[in-house]
Amino acid sequence: VYSQNSRIPTLKKNATPLDDALRRDFTVNSLFYNLRSKHVEDWTGRGMLDLTRDKLLVTPLDARITFHDDPLRVLRAVRFAVRYNLALSQEIRLAAMSDKVHASLHVKVSRERV
């Protein structure tokens, strides 16, 4: 859970693997490797397809909310897209241009982080 003026979340008690996957920045970062079964678990149901078939960067939740909670994720989206040859989803593109996300970037992220 994120507070109004911070990009650092507070931990939620009794969180499930799905809760953890949904709080991630992108579906490709919400993949978990199960050490016991030696399989990748895709709790969002999209991460593997986004990474392997669609080559698309997508947020597990609404991108506007994701970027407002932690606006540094907008910069991470660009970095990931370039580094891993992924296209930005239309939702990410629109959210990145949002005035609310821009305002959050100024409030929540220090210049040193950018």
Side-chain angles (χ1 to χ4, degrees), residues 19-35:
D19 293 329
D20 190 23
L22 293 177
R23 74 167 192 81
R24 302 293 172 146
D25 49 6
F26 311 113
T27 57
V28 298
N29 283 343
S30 64
L31 300 170
F32 302 132
Y33 183 73
N34 186 316
L35 295 172

Side-chain angles (χ1 to χ4, degrees), residues 12-84:
K12 178 181 166 185
K13 291 186 182 208
N14 302 320
T16 66
L18 177 60
D19 293 329
D20 190 23
L22 293 177
R23 74 167 192 81
R24 302 293 172 146
D25 49 6
F26 311 113
T27 57
V28 298
N29 283 343
S30 64
L31 300 170
F32 302 132
Y33 183 73
N34 186 316
L35 295 172
R36 288 194 178 130
S37 69
K38 298 187 180 352
H39 288 97
V40 174
E41 296 177 353
D42 185 356
W43 286 88
T44 67
R46 292 196 57 166
M48 288 300 292
L49 292 176
D50 290 340
L51 182 63
T52 60
R53 184 189 73 191
D54 300 335
K55 304 286 188 206
L56 188 64
L57 201 60
V58 179
T59 56
L61 299 175
D62 184 303
R64 292 170 300 172
I65 295 169
T66 298
F67 292 160
H68 175 66
D69 286 345
D70 184 354
L72 197 58
R73 290 173 169 176
V74 174
L75 302 177
R76 286 174 47 85
V78 173
R79 191 177 79 217
F80 269 61
V82 170
R83 180 177 287 170
Y84 300 110

